[in-house]
Amino acid sequence: MEKCVITITRQFGSMGRAIAQKLSEILKLELYDRDIVEMTAKKTGMPISTISYMEERASRYSFSKFPLGDDSSVEKRDEIFRVQKQIILDKADAGNCIIVGRCSDAILADIPNHFHIYTYAPYEKRLDNCINLLGMTPDEAVKMIKDVDKARNEYHRKYAGFMPDNPLHKDLMINSSYLSFDDTAAVIADIVNRKFG
């Protein structure tokens, strides 16, 4: 296979991470997701819990100038993004891989041989996934879908400059409820193989 870097952006509950994991197995590519948080923690000296907290709330700055009370939190969020951006660029430069989220589609927009994917699903299916696959209560699932979608959308708009579901920045948008997760990954793998040999 010629060099390619796959990014996966996803709606919460569409199980984009599960699809990415299966795709990684099929294509035998390194997968970078939560380990980017660990790498960021090492580089910044911040605890993993702080990185995760700041990631989820990075974009709320657009509604409140200092959402946690002072401008140091804004500076930390921007620092986390800068460090994660460099990690993503380094991993993409090192070889073929799959990167989940964190504005990787925007960060890697100009590299040759990128393949940007967006997974989505109908609301009811996402709700079902949250309850039956992720173990949430119905009330938790409703709240998480609302809150995480909002956070991801605002984060993407702040750091990428466009919404995560903008088709102008995607090579493939796929309804993850149409097939099983394994079959969805297999379809994506077939497209990648046809495109990149």
Side-chain angles (χ1 to χ4, degrees):
M1 177 187 299
E2 63 180 287
K3 182 168 181 178
C4 73
V5 177
I6 300 166
T7 69
I8 298 182
T9 309
R10 70 272 184 230
Q11 279 186 321
F12 184 74
S14 70
M15 305 307 288
R17 178 177 291 139
I19 292 166
Q21 289 169 336
K22 186 63 182 178
L23 185 63
S24 170
E25 293 172 18
I26 295 169
L27 295 175
K28 297 180 174 38
L29 296 179
E30 287 290 333
L31 172 65
Y32 298 103
D33 184 8
R34 292 293 301 168
D35 35 8
I36 294 175
V37 174
E38 295 168 13
M39 294 176 215
T40 304
K42 286 180 184 175
K43 286 183 178 289
T44 61
M46 295 182 205
I48 289 174
S49 58
T50 299
I51 305 292
S52 296
Y53 180 84
M54 292 291 186
E55 268 191 341
E56 289 299 315
R57 289 153 182 81
S59 55
R60 293 188 185 175
Y61 175 61
S62 60
F63 292 100
S64 172
K65 187 173 182 183
F66 305 128
L68 297 180
D70 62 43
D71 59 352
S72 66
S73 60
V74 174
E75 291 169 5
K76 281 183 184 176
R77 292 175 183 132
D78 290 344
E79 179 187 0
I80 288 166
F81 178 76
R82 283 192 302 270
V83 170
Q84 289 188 341
K85 178 179 179 179
Q86 192 57 56
I87 290 168
I88 289 167
L89 288 167
D90 290 345
K91 294 303 178 186
D93 188 55
N96 295 2
C97 62
I98 300 168
I99 301 173
V100 177
R102 295 171 183 84
C103 294
S104 53
D105 55 341
I107 292 167
L108 302 175
D110 295 326
I111 68 163
N113 296 345
H114 63 251
F115 190 63
H116 301 312
I117 301 165
Y118 182 76
T119 65
Y120 65 95
Y123 180 82
E124 290 304 319
K125 184 58 179 174
R126 295 164 63 204
L127 200 60
D128 182 69
N129 289 340
C130 288
I131 294 166
N132 295 307
L133 298 178
L134 302 179
M136 298 177 190
T137 66
D139 287 346
E140 286 172 336
V142 167
K143 183 172 182 0
M144 283 295 287
I145 289 173
K146 178 182 176 184
D147 291 351
V148 176
D149 276 354
K150 181 179 179 184
R152 285 181 180 169
N153 287 343
E154 291 174 356
Y155 177 91
H156 218 85
R157 187 164 47 223
K158 175 176 172 64
Y159 290 111
F162 56 87
M163 293 291 280
D165 62 351
N166 186 327
L168 296 178
H169 299 275
K170 298 295 177 288
D171 300 303
L172 177 68
M173 302 181 77
I174 191 162
N175 179 348
S176 64
S177 71
Y178 192 71
L179 300 170
S180 70
F181 303 140
D182 285 1
D183 285 344
T184 299
V187 167
I188 295 171
D190 184 57
I191 294 170
V192 170
N193 281 323
R194 287 171 182 265
K195 174 69 175 172
F196 300 105

